[in-house]
Amino acid sequence: MAVTFDLFGTLVDVAYPSDPAEVVARELESRGVDVPDDWHVAYGERHVDAPAGAEVPLPAHVAHALESRGVDAGGTAVRHAVVAAFDPDVTRRDGARAAVRDVSEQGPVGLLSNCAVPELVPKTLIRAGLRGEFDAVTTSIGCGWRKPHAKAFEAAAEALGVAPETLTHVGDDPQTDGGVVDVGGRFVDVTETPLSAVASELEAQQ
């Protein structure tokens, strides 16, 4: 049995910016980028024609938003601004590390997280004391697809060396994490099954 865990909202809580466009704007300005007057409008528009379910890295979105207003900021400045804008406080949820370790005694364990910000997942794992706890870490920015798209779960299964239909995914959102059932896998909802009970429930289902 192979298991993947969602990260945000399942294993950790983070404090997201209440106005991400404003925070990104401040970071851009601190790096000498001229932010357009209608930045909030530009930030909220779609600028990359990606397939449904594909991940658009936030630096790419920000760069295209700036370009749509005639601003060429350069990729390095934009990437650094985005990374700095999303540098949250991280709180590991009670029982998270124990749940991962208990499940790992039953088979390979991975992480599968939607995240469009470079460096955020590894940084979060370090701050939560979860670095090194997984056999494989798969992110939407890394594989190119967001949950609930089947390709996200297929990428996570491939990283663990298992078939997608053998995968159990533990998460907090039936709309996204529950997409595992579309590839034949199983979804465990931590809003119904607490982290402390995940390992025992999985063992009982074998």
Side-chain angles (χ1 to χ4, degrees):
M1 178 186 64
V3 178
T4 50
F5 284 85
D6 171 52
L7 180 58
F8 303 106
T10 298
L11 298 177
V12 303
D13 293 313
V14 299
Y16 292 109
S18 58
D19 187 348
E22 181 62 28
V23 177
V24 170
R26 290 201 301 266
E27 294 294 342
L28 288 169
E29 289 172 340
S30 73
R31 289 163 175 80
V33 177
D34 293 326
V35 176
D37 292 338
D38 65 340
W39 172 243
H40 279 73
V41 175
Y43 189 90
E45 294 172 348
R46 180 177 180 179
H47 299 283
V48 179
D49 187 17
E55 181 65 277
V56 177
L58 191 56
H61 170 73
V62 170
H64 281 85
L66 290 169
E67 290 172 5
S68 74
R69 300 315 195 256
V71 179
D72 183 3
T76 300
V78 170
R79 179 185 174 93
H80 289 171
V82 169
V83 170
F86 293 86
D87 190 23
D89 293 330
V90 176
T91 303
R92 187 178 71 228
R93 290 194 160 187
D94 290 343
R97 185 159 56 192
V100 174
R101 291 180 176 178
D102 289 345
V103 169
S104 70
E105 296 179 0
Q106 303 178 35
V109 177
L111 184 82
L112 176 57
S113 176
N114 282 351
C115 184
V117 179
E119 305 177 29
L120 180 55
V121 166
K123 184 187 302 180
T124 298
L125 291 175
I126 291 171
R127 292 179 179 177
L130 293 172
R131 183 175 64 172
E133 297 289 340
F134 302 95
D135 296 304
V137 173
T138 305
T139 64
S140 58
I141 197 172
C143 74
W145 298 93
R146 294 181 64 84
K147 298 173 292 182
H149 200 285
K151 289 185 178 180
F153 296 100
E154 290 168 356
E158 182 179 2
L160 291 173
V162 301
E165 61 268 21
T166 67
L167 192 67
T168 295
H169 183 65
V170 181
D172 67 308
D173 187 348
Q175 298 302 313
T176 55
D177 298 307
V180 69
V181 301
D182 294 330
V183 298
R186 180 184 173 211
F187 170 52
V188 175
D189 190 342
V190 295
T191 67
E192 299 175 351
T193 303
L195 287 169
S196 60
V198 167
S200 59
E201 175 164 324
L202 294 181
E203 186 176 13
Q205 294 296 322
Q206 291 193 58

